[in-house]
Every structure is written in structure tokens, then in C-alpha cells.
């Protein structure tokens, strides 16, 4: 740094420090106790009561063994937290001091120096309390008491004249998955789950910044910077946007300004697969005379986004246009990455989003039973070109519609929108997960013997919340360019045929309906926002279910307890029998269960992509886990890729070759998500499992930009003379540097006549290997404590595959499907 810059830097810092500053209270010494107890124990903020109890060895780790059961009592207790902090004379001299809680889970009372400041009742809100007159020089005491959310919920449920499903969870504005889900333990926690601080300020301060993109063209981005500024004194101030100074006249109190700002020759933010997710650094400051009073920064991405729903021959379209072009959406659903979300590190967020990017995804849906995610999540999505479908936090139940509840939600929406709206990654705001569906299709009204008027009330409450309060609040708080609202995902339940002709669709005929995977070829909607199949977590993660020496067996109670779907094991077994010989050995079962999941999902994803542009999006259920569990995830709790994540990466390649089997032929499709056409040579070869050529065709092809087309077909009679249980169809597309290959099998895995492969692993360098086999090896599984760049892949004889390792390994074990008796 040269001297002048250094000087200017110190100068600015000093003035900001003088005019506005922050005191972090999270890092103070915190203590907690059960409200019934006298004795305080050390606590961590941000955190949760379960984590604090664990750190103090007062409870066992609920993720291990069958411990979840042992910690259920915690949800019925009340908990106290407290800290002491010191305030200096200088800090006291500030004109304003606000105590800020970014998140309190959930029913709390906040006391400062013995005085009750506020009662809170919503985990998703930010609480900001002026405390200038309550702070004292020297020692101050901050105490927060939490009442049991379960008890509170029960009280509220009593006020409704009929039984609500999922009571008491739907009465409390708290992460719903804490109450247990079909992939998650019940761990209803409490605590100070986000940062606590005191903000000091003087004279004036910037409260919010909203960037509105009025017009975006190749030449310029015409923006409005909407800001709300609180001023103590009326007068002339300077509002600076990067280097541009704007003189503004402020009145005492709250001021709302809209200041035009232009960026010439703008560089666009592109979703993953289309180029760089370019971000501009934006700096905003408020100055009076020469003092900087308040400052904020943000990363700006310039892109346009539209949700196009137009009547067409098939029903009604449902697709996104980004920067003017229709984008085929490839991605997944996100659940909270831990049952105790405060312990999710920035690194974990970054890694999971990078894993999504690496698997060629361009969208993640944040599912409504979790949390509005941490800033780091959105930052990672902005940087990696991952669009976000943002649910509001309501899932799979009925919700109350009384005035207090609605007013509470309104504030929640305001807080979250104000925190999140400037992220270029956010594509759509969705009211809820599966509530329209729950009301229409899940039969709760019958189960709980509702009267006609009870049923009507539920529908009225639903309409009020998701068709009035939330969209109205969005309209009031979002700039027009960011306001895409969709009331419920899915819009129509999977039992209705319209779910495949309009809106977004959750298809659960596979898994819940136990239909065969092949049904995915028929049940293709306009935008598939959920569908999935379970697989076991990797062996490494499975072992962490145990506190002691793992007893790896399907009969083991711990293993059983780490499957939360009532019929999970049965369903996996049933599907496995259909397609594989079911291995008795645990490790082999674990491996085949992952292959099974990957196989089902490959069928689904490819069917969706072949149907482009009728179908314009596919988001599988689900990317990640919140604990070590058998689930629909493609990445397990420890961050290890299951076989499915490797498959997702292949199935989401920008240029995909895919086969659709008809009665008489195999139709070969090329799906191109790139914005340019590709001229290529292509073809197919039938090979036996020893690698011998049996039959082939080749062609010259023009693959249109952003398209899915059948390019050729192979009639079944043509292949009739071959034993297809011993053969594989290798298809390819080539042009210069581009070389896509795809293998297709004519039979289910259990009906393939595999022979024992001899698989060779050659070390190229400490972190690179080359894998080859003498005969065809199906689903080659490399085993070791490292991340392999590819795994669970098919390997033809006379070929080899280079794999990189995230860290070097002495011994790499290997197996393939042949080893499982298939
Ligand atoms: C979907 C989700 C979740 C659930 C998943 C698997 O409907 O919205 O509620 O975990 O199915 O059952």
C-alpha cells in the first residue's frame, strides 16, 4: 500500500469509527442454565442449547447411537442465557446505541441490566432495540430467557377450535425440520442462534440499500439505488456510490431516496454453464462535511430474470429466461446442512455450493422446512452462478391465519427480504413447500374430522397468508425487477394430471408411490422441482453413527435409527430386488443402495432433459443432509459424494447423450444446453463385455443450440442377433476438443452377464491414478479416505481413466458390481 492510500484508509476508518461502530457481544463470555437450576455453565454464541449441553458433557451426541431418544426432554424445558460486558465512557457518548439480535430461537425475553426490553416469538426475525439510556459505564448484564417452544406451540394450538396437523410445530415461527422429518431427527432446540452486537451511531445512518435495475442493455445498466437513511439533523449530506458523490437533502427522521446510477458497458452475471458470474463491488457511504457517518458495501450482479408462463399446446409453460435467453434449470433441493445450524461453517457452505457447481448445476431450491440461509450460502451462490429458488419457511402442514400470526410473518418477510434481496442469485420467492398440496390431497380434514366451516377456514387462512400477506409484503419491499413470486411448490399435487402440464411439479410416484423407476419416462412435467430416491450415506459417514466400534449390520438398532422414513428400508429393499441381486454383506449393500439411487435418478433426470423445451427444469430431492442418515441426498452429512452425486454430474453435462427405449427401437437424443450449435460426428458401437466390436453406425450431426432432439434410432430387430445381456452400446459425439461418450445397457444390472474384471490402479503421481480393466467393469468403486474426481463409473476394456485425488493415499481398494453377486 503506498503512503497516500494508507493515509486515506486510516482517515476513513477513523471517521467511521468515530461516527458509527459496532461492539460484538457474541464473543463475550456467555453462560446458560436450565431455568430450574441455580448453576450456570459456559455457553457459546451463536449456538443452541443442545450444542452447549454437549460441550458441557451434560448430554451425549444425539447424532450417535440411538441418543436422539435420550435428549427429547430438552424441548420441554426453559433455558436462560447471560453475559456481562463492559461499556466505556467513549461508547456511552454515542448519540445512539442499538442492541441487535440477528436471530433468537424462539420464545425469549431480553433483559438488559435487569430491565425487560422485549419478548420475541420468531426465530426468523431480526431484533433491534435502542438501549442508549439503559447502558451504563463499566459492567452491564444481558440476559435472555427462552421458554419451551413446544409448550408455547401447544398453548397456541388450543386457541384454534379444530385440530391442526403437525401441531405444535406449525404454530411456532421456528425451523420446522427441528421437529423431525423423514430425513432428520427431532431436536427442537433453543438459543441465540445468530450474532449479537451493539451498533453505535451518530448524526445519521444508512439503514437499507436496495439496488433496482431499471434497464440493462449492452451499453449500460441503468440502476436506482434506493436507500433509507435515518438522520438526527436536517441538512445537506453527501451520499457516495463508489466514486460518485451525490448531494442529498435530508430531513430529521427517516428519509427514503432513489438515486440513479449508471454502469457503462456492463458485464453480465451469468448462471453456471453460460459464462462468468461477474460481480461488481459497490460501496455506499453517507458523509456530512468531511466525516463519513455510515457506510455499506455489496456485490452486485447484473442480470435479467423472468419466469415465463404462457399457454401452449401442452398446457402452460414454466421456464426462466436469464439475460433474455431461456435457461434449462438443472439442480437440486437444499435442506439445512446441520440439525444445529449455527455450527455450519463458511467452509461447509462454500464446499456444498462448489459441489453443486461442479456437478453442472445452475439452481438450488431452499426448501421451506428449514431456515432462510446464512449470508455465506447466498454469497457462494452469487459467486458460483447458482440461481436460488427461495421458499418462505412453511412446509407440509396447515398454518394459522390469525392477525397476530400474520403480523409476525409480515415482519419476518420484511427482515428476510431486506437482508437477501440484493443477491443476484435469487431467482424466485416461493410461498411454501407442499401446503396447497397438503390441503387439497393429504386428507387431514377427514383424519381430524373437520366440519365444513373448519375446512373453509383452513383454505381462507391459506389464501390470506400465501396469496395476500406474503405477496403484498414482497411488493412493498422488493423492487419490481426482483419480484417473482410463486405461492406454493408444487402448484398442483402429483395425483392430478395438470401437475404435468403446468406449474412446477413434485413427482413422488417413485418412492412414495413405489412405482418403477421407468415411470419417470412418462411423468414429465413442465418444471420438476422435487423427485427423489434414497441411498445410504458413504461407509465413512455410516461409521460415524456409532460412538464406539461400529457394528455394521442392517439389523443393528443404530443403523436402523438413522433411517427416518417409516418404510424406508422396505422401499429400498423392494426397489433393489427389482434391479439388483440384493447382497447380504453390509458394505456391499451400502454400495448397491447407492448405485440404485443413482440409477433411479439418472432415469429421471434424462427423461426430464430429453423433454426440453416442454420441460425446462429438474431439481432433484435433495442435495445434502443435516446428520448422518439414509436419505435422498447426493452428498452425505460429512460432505462425501454418494454414487448419485457423481451420476448427477454426468447427467447434468451441458451436452448429454440419452437413450429412450420404445417398443421397436432405441431413440438416441442429443441434449445441448449450450448457447451455441455444435457440428459434430456422432455414432454408436455395440461392444461385448470383452471389448469386441459387434455392430456400429456413424453420422455427421448438427446439434442445435439450447435444444433436445432425437438424432437417430436403432431398431431392435437390428440388434436381435446379439446377446444383449453381454453387450453395451457406446455412443459418442465428437468435434475437435469436444468428446462426449455415453454407455447404455439393454438389461437391468441383475440381468447383465458380467465376468470378473481384473482392475488395475496405476499411480501417476501422489494425487493422480489411472484405472483400467481387462474386461468390462461395471460401477467401479474406489475406496479410500480421499475425494476421487470420479467414482462409481463404468470402465470398458482397452480404455483407461485418469482420476485425481484430493489427497494422496497409500492404499486404494477397489470393487465393482461383479463383486456383489450381480
Ligand atoms: C418432499 C419434501 C420433504 C420430504 C421429501 C421426501 O415432499 O418436501 O418434505 O422430506 O419429500 O419425503
Amino acid at each position: 500500500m503506498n503512503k497516500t492510500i494508507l493515509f486515506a484508509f486510516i482517515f476513513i476508518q477513523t471517521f467511521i469509527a468515530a461516527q458509527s461502530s459496532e461492539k460484538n457481544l457474541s464473543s463475550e463470555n456467555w453462560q446458560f442454565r436450565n431455568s430450574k437450576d441455580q448453576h450456570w455453565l459456559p455457553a457459546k454464541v451463536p449456538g443452541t442449547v443442545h450444542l452447549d449441553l454437549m460441550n458441557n458433557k451434560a448430554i451425549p451426541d444425539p447424532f450417535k447411537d440411538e441418543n436422539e431418544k435420550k435428549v427429547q426432554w430438552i424441548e420441554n424445558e426453559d433455558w436462560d442465557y447471560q453475559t456481562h460486558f463492559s461499556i466505556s465512557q467513549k461508547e456511552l457518548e454515542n448519540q445512539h446505541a442499538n442492541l441487535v439480535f440477528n436471530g433468537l430461537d424462539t420464545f425469549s425475553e431480553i433483559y438488559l441490566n435487569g430491565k425487560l426490553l422485549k419478548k420475541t416469538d420468531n426465530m426468523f426475525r431480526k431484533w433491534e432495540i435502542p438501549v442508549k439510556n439503559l447502558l451504563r459505564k463499566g459492567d452491564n448484564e444481558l440476559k435472555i430467557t427462552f421458554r419451551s417452544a413446544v409448550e408455547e406451540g401447544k398453548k397456541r394450538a388450543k386457541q384454534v377450535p379444530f385440530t391442526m396437523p403437525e401441531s405444535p410445530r406449525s404454530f411456532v415461527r421456528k425451523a420446522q425440520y427441528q421437529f423431525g422429518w423423514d430425513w432428520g431427527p427431532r431436536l427442537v432446540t433453543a438459543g441465540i442462534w445468530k450474532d449479537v452486537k451493539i451498533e453505535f451511531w451518530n448524526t445519521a445512518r444508512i439503514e437499507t440499500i436496495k439496488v433496482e435495475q431499471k434497464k440493462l442493455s449492452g451499453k449500460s445498466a441503468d440502476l436506482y439505488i434506493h436507500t433509507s437513511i435515518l438522520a438526527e439533523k436536517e441538512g445537506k449530506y453527501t451520499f457516495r456510490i463508489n466514486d460518485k458523490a451525490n448531494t442529498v437533502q435530508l430531513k430529521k427522521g427517516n428519509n427514503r431516496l432513489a438515486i440513479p446510477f449508471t454502469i457503462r458497458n456492463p458485464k453480465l452475471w451469468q448462471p453456471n454453464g453460460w459464462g462468468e458470474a461477474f460481480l461488481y463491488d459497490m460501496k455506499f457511504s453517507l458523509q456530512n462535511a468531511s466525516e463519513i457517518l455510515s457506510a455499506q458495501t455489496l456485490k452486485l450482479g447484473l442480470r435479467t430474470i423472468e419466469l415465463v408462463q404462457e399457454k401452449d399446446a401442452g398446457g402452460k409453460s414454466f421456464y426462466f429466461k436469464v439475460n433474455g435467453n431461456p435457461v434449462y434449470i438443472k439442480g437440486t433441493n437444499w435442506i439445512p446442512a446441520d440439525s444445529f445450524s449455527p455450527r455450519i461453517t463458511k467452509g461447509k457452505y462454500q464446499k456444498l455450493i462448489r459441489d453443486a457447481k461442479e456437478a453442472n448445476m445452475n439452481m438450488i431450491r431452499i426448501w421451506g422446512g428449514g431456515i432462510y440461509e446464512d449470508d455465506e450460502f447466498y454469497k457462494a451462490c452469487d459467486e458460483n452462478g447458482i440461481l436460488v429458488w427461495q421458499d418462505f419457511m412453511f412446509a407440509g402442514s396447515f398454518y394459522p391465519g390469525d392477525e397476530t400470526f400474520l403480523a409476525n410473518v409480515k415482519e419476518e418477510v420484511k427482515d428476510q427480504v431486506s437482508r437477501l434481496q440484493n443477491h443476484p442469485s435469487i431467482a424466485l420467492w416461493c410461498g411454501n413447500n407442499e401446503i396447497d398440496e397438503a390441503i387439497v390431497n393429504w386428507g387431514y380434514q377427514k383424519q381430524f374430522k373437520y366440519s365444513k366451516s373448519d375446512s373453509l377456514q383452513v383454505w381462507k387462512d391459506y389464501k390470506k397468508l400465501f396469496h395476500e400477506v406474503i405477496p403484498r409484503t414482497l411488493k412493498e419491499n422488493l423492487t419490481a425487477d426482483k419480484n417473482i413470486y410463486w405461492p406454493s411448490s408444487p402448484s398442483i399435487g402429483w395425483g392430478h394430471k395438470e401437475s404435468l402440464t403446468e406449474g412446477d411439479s413434485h413427482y413422488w410416484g417413485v418412492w412414495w408411490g413405489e412405482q418403477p423407476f421407468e415411470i419417470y419416462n412418462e411423468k414429465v412435467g413442465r418444471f420438476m422441482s422435487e423427485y427423489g430416491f434414497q441411498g445410504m450415506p458413504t461407509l465413512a459417514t455410516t461409521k460415524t453413527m456409532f460412538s464406539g466400534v461400529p457394528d455394521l449390520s442392517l439389523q443393528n438398532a443404530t443403523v436402523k435409527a438413522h433411517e427416518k422414513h417409516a418404510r424406508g428400508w422396505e422401499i429400498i429393499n423392494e426397489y433393489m430386488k427389482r434391479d439388483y441381486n440384493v447382497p447380504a454383506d453390509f458394505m456391499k449393500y451400502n454400495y448397491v443402495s447407492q448405485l440404485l439411487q443413482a440409477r433411479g435418478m439418472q432415469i429421471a433426470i434424462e427423461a426430464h432433459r430429453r423433454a426440453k423445451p416442454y420441460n425446462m427444469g429438474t431439481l432433484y430431492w435433495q442435495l445434502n443432509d443435516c446428520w448422518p442418515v439414509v436419505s435422498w441426498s447426493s452428498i452425505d452429512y460429512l460432505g462425501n459424494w454418494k454414487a448419485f452425486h457423481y451420476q448427477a454430474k454426468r447427467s447434468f453435462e451441458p451436452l448429454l447423450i440419452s437413450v429412450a427405449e420404445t417398443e421397436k427401437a432405441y431413440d438416441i437424443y442429443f441434449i445441448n444446453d449450450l448457447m451455441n450449435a455444435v457440428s459434430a460426428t456422432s455414432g454408436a458401437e455395440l461392444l461385448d463385455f470383452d471389448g469386441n466390436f459387434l455392430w456400429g453406425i456413424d453420422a455427421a450431426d448438427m446439434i442445435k443450440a439450447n435444444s433436445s432432439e432425437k438424432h437417430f434410432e436403432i431398431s431392435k430387430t437390428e440388434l436381435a442377433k446379439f446377446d444383449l445381456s453381454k453387450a453395451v452400446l457406446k455412443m459418442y459425439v465428437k468435434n475437435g476438443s469436444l468428446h462426449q461418450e455415453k454407455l447404455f445397457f439393454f438389461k437391468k444390472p441383475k440381468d447383465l452377464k458380467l465376468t470378473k474384471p481384473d482392475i488395475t490402479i496405476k499411480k501417476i503421481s501422489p494425487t493422480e491414478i489411472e484405472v483400467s480393466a481387462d474386461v468390462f467393469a461395471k460401477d467401479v468403486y474406489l475406496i479410500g479416505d480421499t475425494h476421487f474426481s470420479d467414482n462409481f463409473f463404468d470402465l470398458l476394456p482397452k480404455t483407461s481413466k485418469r482420476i485425481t485425488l484430493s489427497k494422496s493415499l497409500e492404499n486404494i481398494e477397489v470393487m465393482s458390481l461383479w463383486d456383489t453377486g450381480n
Side-chain angles (χ1 to χ4, degrees):
M1 218 186 275
N2 82 27
K3 266 193 191 151
T4 345
I5 298 176
L6 182 67
F7 178 74
F9 181 73
I10 294 170
F11 179 81
I12 291 169
Q13 288 295 308
T14 320
F15 275 104
I16 295 183
Q19 293 306 319
S20 63
S21 61
E22 271 184 22
K23 186 182 189 74
N24 175 7
L25 297 185
S26 304
S27 54
E28 297 290 335
N29 287 324
W30 285 87
Q31 296 179 308
F32 84 116
R33 67 175 182 196
N34 187 321
S35 302
K36 289 178 194 151
D37 293 341
Q38 293 300 310
H39 186 64
W40 293 90
L41 292 166
K44 227 173 125 184
V45 169
T48 80
V49 67
H50 285 79
L51 291 176
D52 290 328
L53 288 165
M54 263 194 278
N55 289 337
N56 284 283
K57 308 237 169 341
I59 55 164
D61 184 344
F63 287 5
K64 300 207 181 280
D65 308 325
E66 292 174 84
N67 293 342
E68 180 195 351
K69 289 184 207 153
K70 297 187 188 155
V71 301
Q72 291 305 311
W73 58 273
I74 297 168
E75 65 177 40
N76 301 313
E77 303 294 311
D78 299 340
W79 301 93
D80 302 338
Y81 278 77
Q82 72 167 18
T83 190
H84 286 259
F85 60 92
S86 176
I87 288 286
S88 67
Q89 182 56 37
K90 240 180 123 203
E91 284 169 326
L92 270 189
E93 282 163 13
N94 285 290
Q95 291 165 355
H96 296 271
N98 290 351
L99 178 59
V100 179
F101 292 91
N102 282 325
L104 291 170
D105 181 8
T106 289
F107 296 96
S108 81
E109 290 178 1
I110 304 166
Y111 296 88
L112 180 61
N113 296 325
K115 187 173 179 321
L116 173 64
L117 296 185
K118 186 150 222 103
K119 295 184 178 186
T120 76
D121 58 359
N122 188 332
M123 173 182 177
F124 305 123
R125 280 173 66 181
K126 174 178 170 182
W127 308 96
E128 190 162 349
I129 313 154
V131 290
K132 156 99 182 145
N133 298 327
L134 291 169
L135 289 174
R136 49 194 191 208
K137 191 174 159 196
D139 182 55
N140 288 264
E141 186 199 71
L142 181 61
K143 188 170 169 186
I144 299 105
T145 60
F146 292 93
R147 270 166 299 134
S148 154
V150 167
E151 292 302 321
E152 273 304 315
K154 284 183 188 160
K155 270 192 231 158
R156 283 155 207 240
K158 281 200 189 118
Q159 288 157 17
V160 178
F162 45 85
T163 314
M164 291 267 269
E166 301 295 341
S167 186
R169 84 162 159 84
S170 54
F171 288 91
V172 295
R173 293 309 299 139
K174 177 175 178 55
Q176 303 280 283
Y177 79 113
Q178 289 184 8
F179 291 80
W181 221 266
D182 55 8
W183 38 257
R186 181 178 176 111
L187 293 164
V188 186
T189 196
I192 305 167
W193 75 294
K194 294 206 163 205
D195 272 319
V196 189
K197 59 188 173 182
I198 299 180
E199 288 177 358
F200 299 104
W201 65 277
N202 297 286
T203 316
R205 83 159 175 172
I206 302 171
E207 300 262 293
T208 57
I209 302 269
K210 285 190 220 183
V211 182
E212 179 181 17
Q213 192 180 276
K214 268 281 169 204
K215 212 180 114 209
L216 183 62
S217 70
K219 278 201 197 122
S220 72
D222 298 334
L223 312 174
Y224 269 107
I225 310 300
H226 296 270
T227 175
S228 113
I229 298 172
L230 207 51
E232 271 291 295
K233 261 200 312 205
E234 147 175 355
K236 274 207 166 62
Y237 294 76
T238 305
F239 184 79
R240 207 175 262 282
I241 306 170
N242 292 349
D243 293 334
K244 191 177 164 230
N246 304 274
T247 306
V248 293
Q249 176 70 31
L250 300 182
K251 60 178 195 293
K252 187 174 158 54
N254 202 13
N255 296 264
R256 285 176 183 274
L257 310 174
I259 303 164
F261 186 77
T262 301
I263 296 176
R264 303 245 166 260
N265 306 316
K267 263 183 110 167
L268 298 187
W269 183 92
Q270 299 284 11
N272 183 31
W274 279 9
E276 191 185 351
F278 187 83
L279 295 168
Y280 285 89
D281 278 312
M282 300 293 291
K283 295 194 198 86
F284 309 93
S285 65
L286 184 70
Q287 242 169 289
N288 99 1
S290 59
E291 288 182 332
I292 293 178
L293 303 168
S294 178
Q296 284 194 19
T297 60
L298 63 83
K299 299 260 186 201
L300 176 71
L302 300 172
R303 91 288 182 275
T304 59
I305 187 150
E306 296 154 73
L307 172 63
V308 185
Q309 294 188 79
E310 280 163 357
K311 286 222 164 94
D312 59 20
K316 200 171 177 193
S317 70
F318 189 102
Y319 69 93
F320 292 93
K321 259 191 189 174
V322 175
N323 299 327
N325 295 312
V327 56
Y328 188 88
I329 294 297
K330 295 178 286 196
T332 179
N333 285 270
W334 169 277
I335 63 162
D338 204 301
S339 286
F340 308 118
S341 55
R343 76 169 163 194
I344 308 169
T345 60
K346 288 187 178 184
K348 186 161 194 179
Y349 279 114
Q350 288 286 348
K351 181 182 175 297
L352 281 164
I353 301 303
R354 275 201 315 272
D355 287 344
K357 178 183 186 177
E358 211 187 309
N360 300 303
M361 300 187 195
N362 57 17
M363 183 181 272
I364 290 182
R365 168 173 175 247
I366 300 186
W367 167 79
I371 54 173
Y372 302 96
E373 271 303 338
D374 190 83
D375 292 343
E376 195 66 22
F377 175 96
Y378 302 94
K379 180 171 175 276
C381 289
D382 291 348
E383 292 166 354
N384 288 292
I386 304 293
L387 293 160
V388 176
W389 170 306
Q390 176 71 54
D391 280 5
F392 284 96
M393 293 302 127
F394 302 88
S397 180
F398 300 171
Y399 283 82
D402 59 90
E403 286 310 314
T404 322
F405 189 84
L406 296 178
N408 194 358
V409 172
K410 185 172 177 173
E411 293 308 311
E412 166 187 330
V413 172
K414 275 200 224 164
D415 284 354
Q416 294 302 334
V417 163
S418 136
R419 178 171 72 96
L420 300 177
Q421 64 182 327
N422 292 316
H423 288 283
S425 51
I426 297 187
L428 171 141
W429 302 85
C430 173
N432 67 68
N433 172 71
E434 296 188 349
I435 298 184
D436 191 314
E437 157 131 35
I439 297 176
V440 180
N441 301 318
W442 291 359
Y444 285 135
Q445 294 88 334
K446 215 168 155 195
Q447 184 184 341
F448 297 117
K449 303 195 172 59
Y450 281 14
S451 68
K452 232 190 176 148
S453 82
D454 297 341
S455 300
L456 265 175
Q457 188 60 42
V458 166
W459 190 242
K460 258 170 74 188
D461 288 346
Y462 176 81
K463 284 277 188 189
K464 242 193 266 166
L465 186 51
F466 299 108
H467 289 253
E468 288 171 35
V469 173
I470 294 180
R472 203 190 308 128
T473 313
L474 283 182
K475 208 164 171 206
E476 286 161 9
N477 290 278
L478 277 178
T479 54
D481 58 312
K482 304 214 167 55
N483 194 358
I484 300 181
Y485 179 67
W486 186 242
S488 187
S489 178
S491 44
I492 301 168
W494 62 270
H496 303 264
K497 63 178 188 314
E498 294 78 12
S499 68
L500 300 180
T501 58
E502 61 185 273
D504 73 318
S505 170
H506 294 186
Y507 191 71
W508 284 106
V510 171
W511 185 266
W512 284 95
E514 295 183 45
Q515 293 167 334
F517 287 144
E518 289 70 24
I519 195 89
Y520 280 134
N521 290 316
E522 291 160 38
K523 303 289 183 181
V524 178
R526 311 307 300 253
F527 190 99
M528 304 305 291
S529 43
E530 272 189 25
Y531 57 91
F533 194 85
Q534 286 196 353
M536 290 184 80
T538 60
L539 266 190
T541 300
T542 308
K543 287 179 188 160
T544 68
M545 296 173 183
F546 296 85
S547 59
V549 182
D551 168 18
L552 296 179
S553 114
L554 292 171
Q555 276 69 46
N556 179 281
T558 291
V559 172
K560 281 190 180 161
H562 287 73
E563 158 68 90
K564 302 299 287 185
H565 188 277
R567 302 194 51 246
W569 291 111
E570 276 170 61
I571 298 176
I572 294 173
N573 230 39
E574 168 57 30
Y575 275 84
M576 201 185 282
K577 270 195 289 195
R578 292 178 194 170
D579 288 1
Y580 294 86
N581 293 316
V582 181
D585 171 78
F586 183 86
M587 182 193 169
K588 290 177 183 169
Y589 188 94
N590 174 289
Y591 160 63
V592 174
S593 93
Q594 292 187 52
L595 296 180
L596 176 69
Q597 178 190 27
R599 172 177 161 78
M601 292 299 91
Q602 177 182 5
I603 294 172
I605 295 171
E606 292 194 10
H608 301 156
R609 291 191 64 187
R610 282 196 306 271
K612 170 180 170 175
Y614 180 84
N615 169 281
M616 280 300 282
T618 180
L619 304 174
Y620 66 79
W621 183 264
Q622 71 206 60
L623 176 69
N624 57 330
D625 282 330
C626 67
W627 75 317
V629 66
V630 183
S631 85
W632 297 265
S633 72
S634 61
I635 299 180
D636 69 24
Y637 176 64
L638 290 190
N640 298 319
W641 288 23
K642 290 156 77 165
F644 173 29
H645 204 77
Y646 289 101
Q647 182 55 48
K649 177 177 176 175
R650 287 175 214 127
S651 293
F652 285 151
E653 287 272 6
L655 187 64
L656 177 75
I657 306 169
S658 179
V659 180
E661 186 177 346
T662 64
E663 201 191 321
K664 296 208 167 110
Y666 300 100
D667 293 345
I668 319 296
Y669 281 74
F670 297 158
I671 299 127
N672 182 13
D673 287 343
L674 300 170
M675 297 312 285
N676 54 294
V678 182
S679 90
T681 54
S682 66
E685 289 172 3
L686 188 71
L687 305 171
D688 69 17
F689 287 168
D690 294 323
N692 299 313
F693 177 90
L694 303 174
W695 174 94
I697 48 164
D698 52 299
D701 260 303
M702 189 62 177
I703 307 168
K704 283 192 211 134
N706 212 2
S707 70
S708 164
E709 273 184 341
K710 176 175 145 184
H711 278 252
F712 56 94
E713 63 175 58
I714 303 168
S715 96
K716 286 190 173 170
T717 44
E718 186 115 26
L719 302 182
K721 56 179 176 290
F722 303 108
D723 179 357
L724 295 180
S725 57
K726 271 201 235 167
V728 50
L729 187 70
K730 180 177 111 177
M731 294 152 291
Y732 62 89
V733 170
K734 265 194 267 192
N735 108 336
S737 59
L738 178 106
H739 188 155
Q740 274 299 98
E741 218 176 83
K742 172 71 174 276
L743 299 183
F744 174 79
F745 299 89
F746 301 90
K747 307 281 174 197
K748 292 184 165 187
K750 69 174 179 187
D751 298 325
L752 294 176
K753 291 185 193 137
L754 297 169
T755 42
K756 181 178 172 26
D758 186 8
I759 302 170
T760 313
I761 298 178
K762 194 165 106 193
K763 264 208 174 129
I764 305 294
S765 79
T767 55
E768 195 177 11
I769 54 171
E770 193 176 82
V771 189
S772 55
D774 58 343
V775 296
F776 173 64
K778 181 125 186 63
D779 302 310
V780 175
Y781 175 26
L782 302 165
I783 308 158
D785 178 22
T786 189
H787 175 73
F788 296 99
S789 59
D790 200 359
N791 210 343
F792 304 94
F793 50 83
D794 295 332
L795 193 60
L796 291 170
K798 300 175 203 154
T799 59
S800 63
K801 199 172 173 74
R802 291 259 173 131
I803 310 269
T804 53
L805 280 59
S806 62
K807 63 175 191 222
S808 71
L809 266 192
E810 264 320 302
N811 287 313
I812 299 171
E813 282 179 62
V814 65
M815 63 192 270
S816 72
L817 191 63
W818 185 87
D819 295 286
T820 65
N822 276 284

